[in-house]
Every structure is written in structure tokens, then in C-alpha cells.
Amino acid sequence: MKLTILGCYSATPRTFTNPTSQVLEIKNHLFLIDCGEGTQVQLRKYKLKFSRIKHIFISHLHGDHFFGLPGLISTFRLLGRDSEMHIYGPKGIKQAVTLLLKLGDSWTNFPLIFHELESKDSELLFEDEKVSVRTVPLEHRVYTNGFVFHEKPAPRTLDVEAAKRLGVDRSQFNNIKNGADGVSNNGETIPNAKLTSDPPKPKSYAFCSDTSYHEPIVPLIEGVDALYHESTFLETESHLCAKTKHSTAKQAAQIAQQAHVGKLILGHYSTRYKSLELFREEAMQVFPNVALADDGKTFEI
Amino acid sequence: MKLTILGCYSATPRTFTNPTSQVLEIKNHLFLIDCGEGTQVQLRKYKLKFSRIKHIFISHLHGDHFFGLPGLISTFRLLGRDSEMHIYGPKGIKQAVTLLLKLGDSWTNFPLIFHELESKDSELLFEDEKVSVRTVPLEHRVYTNGFVFHEKPAPRTLDVEAAKRLGVDRSQFNNIKNGADGVSNNGETIPNAKLTSDPPKPKSYAFCSDTSYHEPIVPLIEGVDALYHESTFLETESHLCAKTKHSTAKQAAQIAQQAHVGKLILGHYSTRYKSLELFREEAMQVFPNVALADDGKTFEI
């Protein structure tokens, strides 16, 4: 699982700091999460294969999280895309995108499928045999969701050499990978544990931006390998959190600690601070494994 | 009069080529013309004073000419703007911008005044004592206007030394600048020509993008000092003009020649061509004074 940060700064795009967008590569999917203005340029800059994106998840309808979406969709059209595109986002997103395309008389030549969200409970958005994606309802000034991405457990890893040595025929391999015992040529039962080993532990990632400190998300992101949690402010500006419904780095770390995540990735920084290291220092007083998102940075999860 | 090109490439924003936007500084106004995605970043990059923009002219509602507008308006809000902003553009622009701001629950804290256009005849959009702005109806796939900016004639330039020498009192100066004769201390009439010289010739600029070759614009832009005319293609791709309603560099030059403009500035290039010089070479076969727009380039008119 690989995460590429296209933009992780709050509020407005600037020459060297981009609003929120990231790409998660997971089990052959390329999921786009949020799409601030300039996202399509960032996708080109970091040489991500546009055409492989089939699912776009939008947390909320503030400009710094979705004003890049109409342009990205238009570009897919100009590039001659024909495969389906699924957009998951708050109710209203369909009307907005549809209106902009209609005004330009430039409807897409590929199926554009909107999945509009309005539930305050966690919902399953996408599932196939290898991956699931659920919403993580957040607390912000407008209706907002985070997203949690789980790999599903892989089949058990077959020891082909052991199977041959013990006289287990290939026809049984799929069942054995799924946990069944084997049967040897001479009718002897071979316990699954002698033929397989545990598969790699499935990975998971949660994206939580924008939100105030909101403990109800803890059970939804319990134990994820990596948590991106917004930290717009430092504690010195904690008085701004109530009005703006954002978090401090310390609060992000408190959520990470309660949810027993593997790594906390901070982002959505206010540009008022001189150094990102201040965010890491503050968070590490609460939770040890803290990384700083930055535009163009990648994380292997 | 100073023109700054923020973006002059067609279709999609890329790392080093931006969609259409330009800023015209004219008689203390800072007019923004078109607003493709990323315009606000370009405004910062070229250190143009955001807050001085009070009038934005949008030619048409294709994404590469207006998808940067909602973000720019949002940024004005975040920066605490309180002065009026006037937006001139095709009917529908108000609904689009309003919907996007409403979805983000982020209506502006400054007056946002839309002037929606739907006439196929040239209209006066703005006028004060020094400047006028009119539409130049173009021929494109959707309803599109160019814009022509005219300085008004300045008052005559007073020769203060001559006035003193000839005994003309200061109280007459304003009338004399407006063409009146003077009267000396001893009652003698002093002809205006002895007291003033011609003011600088008023300047004019026309922006015509996007459009197919469209002769009806010629009288509307007659004699402008500088004409920005789109040249998406070269003549080798002229067969694409009919379908896309764009022009070649040669066609832009033919318009420039017929309208007796001072200088032709080419732009809105398709990115299929290796060198912009090809556009200049083609246009110069028809019209001698050709310049190439490029992102970040400025023109003193």
C-alpha cells in the first residue's frame, strides 16, 4: 500500500503548497482522496497514471478539498477516457459537477457515477474481494467524512514444496489456501498448518480531514497501520479550533493513541507556522510514531 | 497600460503551462480577464496585488477559462476582502459560483455582483471617466465574448511655464486642459494651442479568445494598439478549426491585418506543437508585428 501526498495544506493554493489531495495505491486500485484546485497538475508532476483512477472520494465541499474536481473530470474527457468513474462525496456534489459541465456544453463521454453521502453513520462505500472502503463521519463546519481503507485478509500462503513432498495433489490447492486440510495420495489427512503459513497481515489506512477533536471516530479507525489526521493548528492556537472545527497536532496524537494506530501522519497545516517540525514535536509528546505529510511525499504502508 | 499573461495555453493545466488568464493594468484598474484553474497561484507567483482586482471578465464557461474563479473568490473571502467584486460573464455563471459557495456554506463577506451576458451584439460593460470596456461577440462552441478596453482621451497637457509667462491665472487651468482658451492678467485672449500640447494618444487593447475566424469582430477592434487573438492551431491543422471553433495563427493575423491593429499577440496554443516560434512565423507571413504570449510574460502597451 502506497500513499502519495499531492497536497496537504489548508485554505488556499499557493506556489509551493497545495490544498488537500492524495492518492492511495492499494491492491491494484488507484484511489484519489480529495481534489483541491491544482490536483490534476500534481498528478502529472508526480507521474501518477491518471487513467487508472476509477474511484474518487471527496471528504467535504469546501473549495480546498474539491475545486479541482470539475477540471480533472474535464481533462479525463479531453484525454478520451471511456471507463467508468465513481465519485463518492456529500450530497450536492452531483448537482455542482453536472452544472459546470452543462454550462460548458461538455458532458463526459465516459460514465460518471455519483454516490452521494448524507448519513452520519459509517457506511460501506466500496468492496471487492481484496479491499473495502468505509466512511468515517467527522465533525466539521459542513457535512464531512473521512475514509478508512482495509485490505482483506489474503488466502494462506501455500508451501508448494511441502505439498509435493507429502503427496497432496494440485487440485486441492485452492481449498488449502482457504484453510482446508489436505489429503495425501494414500488417503492420509494432512493438517492445513503443515501445508501453509500465515499470509501477510492485511494493511489499513484512515484519512481524517477536516475535523475537530472527535472521539467517536476512534472505534472506526482502531488499529489502522497509518492514520492521516489533520492538524491545522498547534496548541498555541487551540482557541481557533472551536470556531473553525479543526484540530491541533496534540489532538491528532490523542486520537492516534486511543485508536492504537501504527503511524500518525499529520497534515492540513495552517500556513501561519514557520516550520512543520513544530507539529511533529507537539504530537510526539503524546504519541511516538509521527510523520509529517508534505506535497510530493510518499509513504509505504 | 500593462498586460500580464498568467496563462495562455489551451485545454488542460500542466506543470509549466497554464490555462487562460491575464491581468490588464489600465488607468489604476487591475482587470482580470478569464480565470482558468490555478489563476490564483499565478497571481501570487507574479506578485500582482490581488486586492486591487475589482472587475473580472469571463469570456465563456469552458473549464480552461473559468474553473479557477470559485477558488479565487473563496480566497478573497479568506483574506478578509470587503470591497465589491464585479463578475462579467455568460448567463449561468452566477448560478454556478453561487451553488459552489453555498455547498461549502461559505458565502462571501464582500458584495459579489454578477453581470450576466447573453447578447449577441457588442455591449458596454464598464465605463468611468478614464476607461471603457465593451464585449466583442465571438464565434465558439458555446456563447463567448471577447473584450475591448479603451482608454478615454486624457485632458490636454498644460504647459505651466508658458501659462505663467503669459500671465494666465491658475484658476483657468482646468478649463484650459479641457480645450478652452486662456485670458492673461491684462485681458488678452491666449489661444489654447499656446498653452497646451496634445495629450498622449489613448491606448486600447482587445482580447479575443476562444473563437473561430470571425470577420464581424473587425470593426469592433479596429485600430486597437494590441490585439490578443487565439491561435490554437497552425494551418497544418486547419481542418480541426471547423469542429472545435478555434483559429489558426494565419487566421489571427488576417483579423489583425483587417482591423489595422498595432500589434498582434498570439496565444491559446494547443500543446501538440514543439515550438511557439512556428505560430509567429505563420502569422508574420500575413501581418508584420506579431508577439507570442507566454505564461508570466508582460507587454507594455
Side-chain angles (χ1 to χ4, degrees):
Chain A
M1 202 190 293
K2 184 181 171 191
L3 178 71
T4 302
I5 307 295
L6 300 177
C8 65
Y9 289 81
S10 69
T12 69
R14 291 164 185 259
T15 311
F16 301 110
T17 60
N18 291 272
T20 304
S21 185
Q22 39 186 260
V23 170
L24 185 69
E25 295 182 60
I26 173 175
K27 297 284 178 192
N28 268 326
H29 292 289
L30 214 63
F31 290 140
L32 183 67
I33 307 167
D34 278 352
C35 191
E37 185 172 349
T39 292
Q40 61 176 308
V41 176
Q42 293 290 90
L43 282 167
R44 286 188 196 273
K45 184 170 176 188
Y46 298 112
K47 303 200 188 320
L48 289 148
K49 293 263 176 265
F50 268 52
S51 57
R52 286 183 51 212
I53 297 172
K54 293 191 174 139
H55 302 271
I56 301 178
F57 301 89
I58 301 292
S59 63
H60 66 299
L61 299 183
H62 280 155
D64 57 333
H65 293 254
F66 105 106
F67 280 175
L69 184 61
L72 179 61
I73 291 170
S74 300
T75 293
F76 278 128
R77 174 176 172 270
L78 291 169
L79 295 176
R81 181 191 181 98
D82 52 17
S83 62
E84 282 183 357
M85 173 65 80
H86 294 265
I87 314 270
Y88 307 81
K91 190 167 169 56
I93 195 168
K94 179 177 179 177
Q95 186 192 0
V97 172
T98 305
L99 175 64
L100 291 183
L101 298 180
K102 200 186 81 178
L103 286 173
D105 198 12
S106 50
W107 190 247
T108 62
N109 37 10
F110 57 89
L112 190 57
I113 300 154
F114 290 92
H115 306 264
E116 294 202 307
L117 309 177
E118 46 186 332
S119 173
K120 299 219 164 172
D121 299 320
S122 177
E123 289 183 293
L124 180 68
L125 296 187
F126 174 81
E127 185 170 37
D128 65 10
E129 65 277 14
K130 292 187 174 172
V131 175
S132 73
V133 186
R134 299 190 65 91
T135 58
V136 179
L138 300 175
E139 181 72 15
H140 193 41
R141 303 195 302 279
V142 294
Y143 175 73
T144 303
N145 289 295
F147 305 102
V148 58
F149 302 81
H150 281 103
E151 289 180 0
K152 293 189 178 175
R156 298 186 60 75
T157 305
L158 182 70
D159 182 343
V160 177
E161 288 307 311
K164 275 187 190 163
R165 195 175 62 242
L166 295 165
V168 175
D169 189 70
R170 303 185 65 82
S171 61
Q172 303 175 50
F173 284 5
N174 267 342
N175 288 340
I176 291 168
K177 283 189 206 167
N178 288 325
D181 292 336
V183 181
S184 73
N185 293 338
N186 51 23
E188 194 188 345
T189 297
I190 314 289
N192 187 280
K194 286 196 171 174
L195 295 166
T196 67
S197 56
D198 288 345
K201 186 176 164 287
K203 298 287 177 38
S204 51
Y205 169 65
F207 168 89
C208 296
S209 183
D210 297 357
T211 188
S212 55
Y213 176 77
H214 190 52
E215 290 185 0
I217 71 175
V218 170
L220 298 171
I221 60 173
E222 172 67 33
V224 294
D225 294 286
L227 164 66
Y228 177 95
H229 192 292
E230 75 128 290
S231 57
T232 305
F233 300 116
L234 297 175
E235 282 292 308
T236 43
E237 277 66 44
S238 63
H239 56 285
L240 298 176
C241 289
K243 187 183 166 212
T244 63
K245 300 259 178 125
H246 285 301
S247 307
T248 66
K250 181 183 174 187
Q251 291 174 329
Q254 288 170 328
I255 294 291
Q257 185 189 43
Q258 291 168 59
H260 310 101
V261 310
K263 182 199 283 274
L264 169 64
I265 303 170
L266 297 175
H268 202 267
Y269 316 109
S270 161
T271 51
R272 78 188 60 208
Y273 302 107
K274 284 274 158 59
S275 163
L276 297 188
E277 280 302 327
L278 300 170
F279 290 89
R280 173 149 51 191
E281 284 165 18
E282 181 173 297
M284 283 182 72
Q285 290 171 18
V286 174
F287 183 82
N289 194 2
V290 179
L292 296 169
D294 208 353
D295 298 4
K297 208 165 171 180
T298 59
F299 296 91
E300 297 285 348
I301 297 167
Chain B
M1 202 189 297
K2 183 181 171 191
L3 178 70
T4 302
I5 308 294
L6 301 178
C8 66
Y9 289 81
S10 69
T12 69
R14 291 164 185 261
T15 309
F16 301 110
T17 60
N18 291 272
T20 303
S21 185
Q22 39 186 258
V23 170
L24 185 69
E25 294 183 61
I26 173 174
K27 297 286 179 193
N28 267 328
H29 291 289
L30 213 63
F31 290 140
L32 183 67
I33 307 168
D34 278 354
C35 191
E37 185 174 348
T39 292
Q40 61 176 306
V41 176
Q42 294 290 89
L43 282 166
R44 284 187 197 273
K45 185 170 174 186
Y46 298 112
K47 303 199 187 322
L48 291 147
K49 293 261 177 265
F50 269 50
S51 58
R52 285 185 52 214
I53 297 173
K54 293 191 174 141
H55 302 271
I56 301 177
F57 301 89
I58 301 292
S59 64
H60 66 300
L61 299 184
H62 279 156
D64 56 332
H65 293 253
F66 104 106
F67 280 176
L69 184 61
L72 179 61
I73 291 170
S74 299
T75 292
F76 279 129
R77 172 176 174 271
L78 289 170
L79 296 176
R81 181 190 181 100
D82 53 18
S83 62
E84 281 184 359
M85 172 65 79
H86 294 265
I87 314 271
Y88 308 81
K91 190 167 169 57
I93 195 169
K94 178 177 179 178
Q95 187 192 2
V97 172
T98 305
L99 175 63
L100 291 184
L101 298 179
K102 201 186 79 179
L103 286 173
D105 197 14
S106 50
W107 190 248
T108 63
N109 36 10
F110 56 89
L112 189 58
I113 299 153
F114 289 91
H115 305 264
E116 293 201 307
L117 310 176
E118 47 187 331
S119 172
K120 300 219 164 173
D121 298 321
S122 177
E123 290 182 292
L124 181 67
L125 297 187
F126 173 83
E127 184 170 36
D128 65 11
E129 65 275 16
K130 294 189 173 170
V131 174
S132 72
V133 186
R134 297 191 65 92
T135 59
V136 180
L138 300 175
E139 181 71 16
H140 192 41
R141 303 195 302 279
V142 294
Y143 175 73
T144 303
N145 288 296
F147 305 102
V148 59
F149 303 82
H150 281 103
E151 289 179 1
K152 294 190 177 175
R156 297 188 59 76
T157 305
L158 183 71
D159 183 342
V160 178
E161 287 308 312
K164 277 186 188 165
R165 197 177 61 241
L166 294 165
V168 175
D169 189 69
R170 303 186 63 82
S171 61
Q172 304 176 47
F173 283 4
N174 267 341
N175 287 341
I176 291 168
K177 283 189 206 169
N178 288 324
D181 292 337
V183 181
S184 72
N185 293 338
N186 50 27
E188 191 188 346
T189 296
I190 315 288
N192 187 279
K194 286 197 170 174
L195 296 166
T196 66
S197 56
D198 288 343
K201 185 176 165 289
K203 298 286 176 37
S204 51
Y205 169 66
F207 167 89
C208 296
S209 183
D210 299 353
T211 188
S212 54
Y213 177 78
H214 190 53
E215 290 184 359
I217 71 176
V218 169
L220 298 172
I221 60 173
E222 173 67 33
V224 294
D225 294 284
L227 165 65
Y228 176 95
H229 192 291
E230 75 128 288
S231 57
T232 306
F233 300 116
L234 297 175
E235 281 292 307
T236 42
E237 278 66 42
S238 62
H239 55 285
L240 298 176
C241 290
K243 187 184 165 210
T244 63
K245 302 259 179 124
H246 285 300
S247 307
T248 66
K250 182 183 174 188
Q251 291 174 329
Q254 288 169 328
I255 295 291
Q257 185 190 43
Q258 291 170 59
H260 311 101
V261 310
K263 181 200 284 277
L264 169 64
I265 302 171
L266 296 176
H268 202 266
Y269 317 108
S270 160
T271 51
R272 77 187 62 207
Y273 301 107
K274 285 273 158 58
S275 163
L276 298 188
E277 280 302 327
L278 300 170
F279 290 90
R280 173 148 53 192
E281 286 165 16
E282 181 174 295
M284 283 182 71
Q285 290 170 20
V286 175
F287 184 82
N289 194 4
V290 179
L292 295 169
D294 207 353
D295 300 2
K297 210 165 171 179
T298 59
F299 296 90
E300 297 285 349
I301 297 168

